[in-house]
């Protein structure tokens, strides 16, 4: 994996087919976790909290500029040729702060509006990001976050 790589959770694909997400209307958030877990496509029923098999929020980073349950991204889900495009227009940017987490490793995209807080994907930060030493940012690709084919 490399910085910026996106892992789509397999369970998300199932949940999407079961109409458990409305990617155009639901509140989608991004939050950070440390390196004690390595998200993978086959991570079992990932959630941001209790209710699934894997509670990713157990390893969340918060404090300083980092909200405990992440930050909203302005998102849209639209047709794009033969595919559907999930796009985010709100980049995540946290300035250096002595109270920020010093061990952010993954950005987790999840559905805050969903009762089960089901996770959608993980973004590889490339290495541990120390928010006490410098800024921590996630900038979405200009072509969108991901497509569904």
């Amino acid at each position: 994996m490399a910085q910026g790589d996106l892992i789509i959770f397999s369970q998300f694909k199932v949940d999407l087919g079961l109409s458990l997400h409305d990617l155009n209307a639901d509140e989608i958030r991004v939050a950070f976790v440390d390196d004690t877990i390595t998200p993978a496509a086959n991570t079992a029923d990932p959630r941001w909290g209790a209710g699934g098999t894997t509670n990713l929020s157990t390893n969340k980073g918060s404090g300083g500029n980092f909200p405990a349950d992440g930050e909203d991204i302005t998102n849209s889900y639209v047709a794009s040729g033969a595919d559907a495009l999930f796009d985010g227009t709100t980049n995540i940017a946290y300035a250096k702060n002595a109270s920020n987490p010093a061990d952010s490793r993954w950005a987790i995209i999840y559905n805050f509006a969903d009762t089960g807080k089901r996770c959608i994907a993980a973004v590889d930060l490339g290495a541990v990001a120390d928010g006490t030493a410098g800024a921590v940012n996630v900038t979405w690709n200009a072509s969108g976050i991901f497509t569904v084919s």
Side-chain angles (χ1 to χ4, degrees):
M1 299 283 319
Q3 183 177 10
D5 283 354
L6 182 79
I7 299 165
I8 303 288
F9 294 117
S10 299
Q11 185 63 51
F12 162 71
K13 297 172 191 175
V14 172
D15 295 343
L16 190 59
L18 296 172
S19 300
L20 297 175
H21 297 280
D22 181 341
L23 295 179
N24 208 39
D26 287 350
E27 183 178 349
I28 307 299
R29 289 191 177 185
V30 176
F32 293 90
V33 296
D34 62 26
D35 65 349
T36 58
I37 188 167
T38 300
N42 64 351
T43 297
D45 195 10
R47 308 283 182 108
W48 192 258
T53 306
T54 308
N55 179 354
L56 294 174
S57 72
T58 300
N59 303 318
K60 68 183 170 185
S62 62
N65 300 329
F66 287 58
D69 287 322
E71 185 171 336
D72 294 344
I73 59 172
T74 302
N75 53 285
S76 64
Y77 189 62
V78 297
S80 177
D83 300 322
L85 174 68
F86 179 74
D87 197 8
T89 57
T90 308
N91 293 322
I92 307 302
Y94 297 120
K96 173 184 169 181
N97 183 303
S99 298
N100 282 349
D103 58 354
S104 297
R105 179 63 179 85
W106 301 91
I108 305 298
I109 302 170
Y110 74 100
N111 188 341
F112 185 76
D114 172 55
T115 304
K117 307 266 187 290
R118 290 170 173 83
C119 294
I120 295 169
V123 179
D124 189 343
L125 299 181
V128 170
D130 183 350
T132 67
V136 177
N137 303 311
V138 175
T139 302
W140 306 119
N141 187 303
S143 298
I145 297 175
F146 63 83
T147 56
V148 177
S149 299

